[in-house]
Each structure stands twice: as C-alpha cells, then as structure tokens.
Amino acid sequence: MGRSRRTLPEELLLLALDPTTGTTAQPQSLDLGLAGAQLVELALAGRIAPDGDRIAVVVPRPTGDPTLDCALELLRRRGAPVRAVNWIGGPRLGLRQTYLSHLERCGMVHAVAGQMCGVLPTTRYQATDNAISREIRARLDSAIRTGVPPDPRTAALAALAHAVGLGKHLYPGNEGRSSRSRLRDLIRHDPMGGLVAHAVMDVQNGVAAQPRRSPAPATGRPAAPGGRAAAEPARGVPAQPHRGSMARVVAH
C-alpha cells in the first residue's frame, strides 16, 4: 500500500480532531473506532475478509504501513478467524497516540504543549492544513446531501463516525438531526464497514461476544454430567448471564 492515500484510521482521527481546542471528540469510543478502522483498511487492501461475524486473514503479505502491518500480524498469529467484537474490544492502549504521532511526522498536525490546571502537562494537536480535514468532511457531506451511494471508503468512514458518536460533533444541535440520521443510514452501503461499526457499538454497549448456541431440545431438560437432569433456576429467579471478559479501553 502506498502512502499517497490517507488510511481510514488517519481520516477518522482527523474528523474527530477539534480545530479550536486541539483535542479529540469522543476519546474513549474513538480508540475503539481506530481499531475498527484498521480492520476496514486491511479489508480494502485485500488482506482480510469477513467470515460471518469473524475476520479472516486471506493474504498475510505486509501492506507497507507499519501500524496496519502490526495489526495484520496479530490477526495472523491467531491462526483462526477472530470475532470482530473480540478484536475491537481487546486492549488498544496507545493506539490514538500512535496515530497522532504519525500525523505529526507526516506534517498534518503539530503538537502544542500546555498544562492542565497549571500543573499537569498536556499535549494538544492542531491541524497544519485544514484543507485536508475539509476534504474528508466534504465527502461525508456529499454522501449525506445527495443520497447517492458513496464509495466503500467513504461509506465505511461514515459508519465508523456514527459508531463512535461523532455525529453530534460533526452535525450538532437540532439543525443537524437529519444529517446525523442520514450519517447513520450510510452504514448499509459497505458490508465490512457495517460489520465493524456494529462491533464498535456492541463493545460500547457491553454486549458479550459469545457465539450463538444451538437451541435446547424441545422436550425434556438437558442432561448434566453423570446423566442427571440439569437443575432449572428457581421460579421467579432469573438465571445468571455469562459475564464476558471483554476488556475496557482506557482513555488517554
């Protein structure tokens, strides 16, 4: 993959970057969105493909992008297709900072050192060329305004922007309500983007990523080990749900 074109994680981050404050909107969910954007970018590059609700590596050849190739190698090491929601819900500490540092090296943003409450050191990032962010935003605006099905890259970007909650950042207030609704609707135009966007929202909603089980036989109770019938929960007491081991992403 050449470096002439920005990747989806980079575009998503530039969309989230507030030009006034130098901070990113929706920082916690944005970390999840960046992990999801990596999956979509790898799919667009032909390296991975959806397999139901799982992600399978189909071509393990590196893309030439170090951050994407790290994700590709981790997927390859799994040895079997991985559930999208499990991948996105895994630890992603430092991913946002990795992309911010990359954008700085590319000259698209510059770091501004500061302090919080006059004590804690902080770093904000200002875009060096707002034309880039405007071009990305214009693609979304065009898809929303015209209703013409966008290209897969723009459709996936729209799906991810909706999934991480950037709609209110991009189209605020009551006047932006219809635009936010149309942004959400663009999720259907790219299957991979839709799969990843729904996985991002599932992680945020705490939906356990457990495979669906076959329904129990219609007659009789399932047998427990040793041939005894499994006990039913006491009447009026709900069975305890399985608690997932999904990791919570920590904001930086």
Side-chain angles (χ1 to χ4, degrees):
M1 179 186 300
R3 295 300 301 149
S4 60
R5 184 171 60 185
R6 294 178 301 273
T7 64
L8 273 174
E10 294 164 8
E11 292 195 329
L12 183 65
L13 186 52
L14 286 171
L15 269 183
L17 193 63
D18 190 306
T20 303
T21 65
T23 59
T24 53
Q26 304 295 109
Q28 289 182 299
S29 55
L30 181 61
D31 290 343
L32 302 175
L34 291 174
Q38 286 186 315
L39 293 181
V40 179
E41 189 65 50
L42 287 171
L44 290 171
R47 301 310 196 267
I48 65 175
D51 181 7
D53 64 347
R54 297 175 183 269
I55 303 299
V57 175
V58 293
V59 178
R61 185 177 69 251
T63 67
D65 181 297
T67 310
L68 288 176
D69 288 340
C70 179
L72 180 62
E73 177 61 15
L74 289 174
L75 286 167
R76 187 193 67 79
R77 289 178 183 177
R78 295 290 184 96
V82 58
R83 295 174 69 83
V85 71
N86 282 346
W87 173 262
I88 292 170
R92 291 292 178 271
L93 298 178
L95 187 59
R96 180 162 27 108
Q97 185 58 51
T98 295
Y99 275 107
L100 282 170
S101 298
H102 170 73
L103 291 177
E104 185 181 18
R105 290 193 300 271
C106 293
M108 285 188 274
V109 302
H110 69 275
V112 179
Q115 289 184 330
M116 181 183 296
C117 301
V119 179
L120 300 175
T122 62
T123 303
R124 300 178 185 274
Y125 292 86
Q126 300 287 346
T128 56
D129 186 357
N130 287 326
I132 296 175
S133 297
R134 287 196 296 268
E135 182 271 327
I136 298 170
R137 172 70 178 270
R139 282 164 42 210
L140 291 186
D141 290 345
S142 177
I144 288 173
R145 183 179 63 255
T146 65
V148 176
D151 61 276
R153 180 174 293 275
T154 301
L157 181 62
L160 289 163
H162 166 70
V164 302
L166 289 183
K168 291 183 179 180
H169 169 70
L170 299 171
Y171 307 104
N174 289 332
E175 64 275 15
R177 183 176 300 173
S178 61
S179 293
R180 294 195 299 271
S181 177
R182 288 193 288 270
L183 179 71
R184 179 195 62 217
D185 292 342
L186 290 175
I187 200 170
R188 70 181 187 275
H189 289 293
D190 180 60
M192 184 66 181
L195 168 66
V196 169
H198 281 110
V200 169
M201 290 185 284
D202 282 348
V203 174
Q204 294 180 81
N205 293 331
V207 177
Q210 296 299 320
R212 293 183 179 180
R213 298 178 180 178
S214 300
T219 58
R221 294 193 297 272
R228 293 174 298 177
E232 292 181 334
R235 189 175 301 276
V237 179
Q240 293 298 314
H242 175 75
R243 294 184 179 270
S245 57
M246 192 176 301
R248 185 180 299 274
V249 177
V250 180
H252 300 291

